[in-house]
Amino acid sequence: MTTDTTPTPEDQRIIRADQPAEILAAARVAFGTVPRDRLLLVGHSGHHTRPVLTSSPLTELVAESGREHLEHHLSLMREKGCTAALAMVVLRDGSEHVDPIELEDWERVGAALLLDTAHHLLPDPFDLYPLWVLGAGTARQVVLEHDEVGDGMSLWVSPVQQLEPFDHTRAAMDAVLEGRSVRPDLPGREVLAEVGRRLRLAPVAASPADTSDLLTRTRAALSRIGARRAGSTGSDEQFMTDCEQVSTMLSALAIDAVHWELLAMCVDHGSPTPVDREMLLQELTSDPTRRPHEDVCAGGGIYSDLLLLREAAAAAMHLGHPAGAASAASAWRGLTAVLALLAWWNHRFSGAGEMVDDLLRHDPSSTLAPLLETMIDTPIFPAWWPEA
């Protein structure tokens, strides 16, 4: 089961097992994205131990090999010292409408699979308690009781609790006070589509050495575009200038060498020593001191701007001038690969896998996708570990 694992803050907070909205909010802040159709596990080894927060897609759990995927997930957590976990099934984002039949299936069949698999995990059981099922703005706790004699079992489902809105949780309030991003969903698709329509991409004589300056200027342009999206009064002339800057950046990203330099810049960000461009992946898999800066983690400033650039490239592919469609497609592929590798470096294997799936859907002949698949599915781990 491909998983995402998030670093635990140094200032550890108590995660209350009886407050599902707080667990969900803590996961949203920690992962920098809204958990959607996910299994969340908060692994621990008893009271007052630092938790390990992981996430994996529910689609893998309901696949034919779902039990084997889950056993692998739990075994990985045990290898990191966890002996038990709080568990949470999040349908949609937890608050969106869910068909009552689907919700009941997860409360019964899905929860039983989770709890029974954990109970029979070898060589010792892995305790999943409590297990919450969230959907349609509600939360229910599910407990599986095994008979002391024989293999019989009974399922208990708690009364319904209303799920507190994210903005009302302590985790969200703390994140705002700390200046952390709490709304990382990609907003303003209409404005990004308009940017894509205006782009005029053409081959440029860009070199990797230009990438840093290009990205700095492009991020400033994206910030102004974002302010325009939020309703501020920006001139049409400034908007056109900003679109031209985005166009220049995407044109440069049509060059393969610039993709690699962009990834290297993200690795260098916040590091006292630059990474060897020729040994980049080797260093990430062997040097535990290479840790991602928060700006290149999900929800971070650079990571979010790369997502916006990828969205603009996608719009340019389909809505922009036909002459620039090939360059836009190359930029989109490059940004997708960079984001997949950043997600992998952040121990977000599930998020990385989704990026690679996108890459294969749009470019089945990609030569990079098989390498990325191998790194994610094997998995080949980055040298650093979030809880180290």
Side-chain angles (χ1 to χ4, degrees), residues 260 275-287 344 383:
W260 199 248
V275 68
D276 184 343
R277 269 52 175 169
E278 299 298 323
M279 300 290 289
L280 198 157
L281 291 182
Q282 291 90 326
E283 283 203 30
L284 295 186
T285 55
S286 63
D287 183 356
W344 165 83

Side-chain angles (χ1 to χ4, degrees), residues 37-312:
D37 289 316
R38 314 291 288 187
L39 169 66
L40 300 177
L41 296 179
V42 184
H44 59 87
S45 55
H47 293 298
H48 309 299
T49 58
R50 176 170 289 186
V52 176
L53 180 58
T54 67
S55 164
S56 56
L58 293 179
T59 51
E60 292 189 354
L61 194 60
V62 299
E64 187 175 346
S65 56
R67 184 179 288 270
E68 290 76 12
H69 280 307
L70 180 59
E71 288 174 349
H72 178 63
H73 187 168
L74 298 179
S75 295
L76 287 175
M77 296 191 75
R78 190 148 61 189
E79 288 174 11
K80 297 302 177 182
C82 299
T83 57
L86 315 180
M88 179 172 287
V89 172
V90 184
L91 301 177
R92 311 302 177 266
D93 69 351
S95 61
E96 296 173 3
H97 173 73
V98 178
D99 186 285
I101 295 176
E102 181 184 3
L103 188 56
E104 185 175 354
D105 280 346
W106 275 104
E107 291 169 3
R108 301 290 177 179
V109 182
L113 170 65
L114 284 165
L115 294 168
D116 189 58
T117 301
H119 180 77
H120 288 101
L121 188 69
L122 298 175
D124 301 303
F126 190 97
D127 187 24
L128 288 186
Y129 180 82
L131 167 63
W132 293 95
V133 177
L134 275 56
T138 63
R140 296 164 179 82
Q141 185 179 340
V142 182
V143 176
L144 189 66
E145 294 184 350
H146 290 266
D147 294 344
E148 293 184 6
V149 179
D151 293 328
M153 57 185 185
S154 57
L155 200 68
W156 175 80
V157 181
S158 75
V160 175
Q161 289 188 27
Q162 292 302 308
L163 196 64
E164 189 176 23
F166 172 74
D167 291 342
H168 295 178
T169 62
R170 176 63 183 270
M173 295 176 189
D174 287 344
V176 170
L177 291 174
E178 294 165 6
R180 300 182 66 181
S181 173
V182 294
R183 295 187 181 277
D185 271 2
L186 205 59
R189 291 180 181 274
E190 298 82 3
V191 173
L192 289 169
E194 177 62 22
V195 171
R197 275 191 289 268
R198 292 174 182 248
L199 298 186
R200 295 294 182 266
L201 276 68
V204 297
S207 72
D210 302 324
T211 307
S212 179
D213 182 55
L214 275 173
L215 183 62
T216 298
R217 287 188 277 115
T218 302
R219 293 188 66 205
L222 287 171
S223 178
R224 288 189 293 270
I225 290 171
R228 178 187 181 94
R229 180 179 62 226
S232 69
T233 56
S235 69
D236 288 340
E237 182 179 352
Q238 180 64 63
F239 183 58
M240 285 296 296
T241 300
D242 290 335
C243 287
E244 289 171 4
Q245 179 58 51
V246 173
S247 182
T248 300
M249 182 77 217
L250 293 180
S251 294
L253 282 168
I255 301 169
D256 288 349
V258 176
H259 307 163
W260 199 248
E261 179 60 25
L262 179 60
L263 176 63
M265 282 173 45
C266 291
V267 173
D268 284 346
H269 188 64
S271 174
T273 55
V275 68
D276 184 343
R277 269 52 175 169
E278 299 298 323
M279 300 290 289
L280 198 157
L281 291 182
Q282 291 90 326
E283 283 203 30
L284 295 186
T285 55
S286 63
D287 183 356
T289 67
R290 292 280 179 192
R291 302 170 66 93
H293 188 276
E294 62 181 14
D295 281 346
V296 297
C297 295
I302 294 176
Y303 191 96
S304 297
D305 285 342
L306 294 183
L307 281 175
L308 293 175
L309 276 175
R310 181 174 180 262
E311 189 77 5

Side-chain angles (χ1 to χ4, degrees), residues 357-374:
D357 288 344
D358 275 353
L359 191 58
L360 286 170
R361 276 193 294 270
H362 289 85
D363 184 17
S365 63
S366 170
T367 56
L368 182 59
L371 168 65
L372 296 174
E373 273 193 310
T374 299

Side-chain angles (χ1 to χ4, degrees), residues 312-385:
M317 277 195 292
H318 303 294
L319 304 173
H321 195 279
S327 293
S330 293
W332 182 90
R333 287 194 296 269
L335 285 163
T336 301
V338 169
L339 286 162
L341 284 165
L342 288 178
W344 165 83
W345 191 32
N346 279 281
H347 287 264
R348 300 186 70 243
F349 297 128
S350 176
E354 289 167 5
M355 286 285 178
V356 175
D357 288 344
D358 275 353
L359 191 58
L360 286 170
R361 276 193 294 270
H362 289 85
D363 184 17
S365 63
S366 170
T367 56
L368 182 59
L371 168 65
L372 296 174
E373 273 193 310
T374 299
M375 293 176 65
I376 294 162
D377 293 341
T378 303
I380 298 172
F381 290 102
W384 79 286
W385 175 254

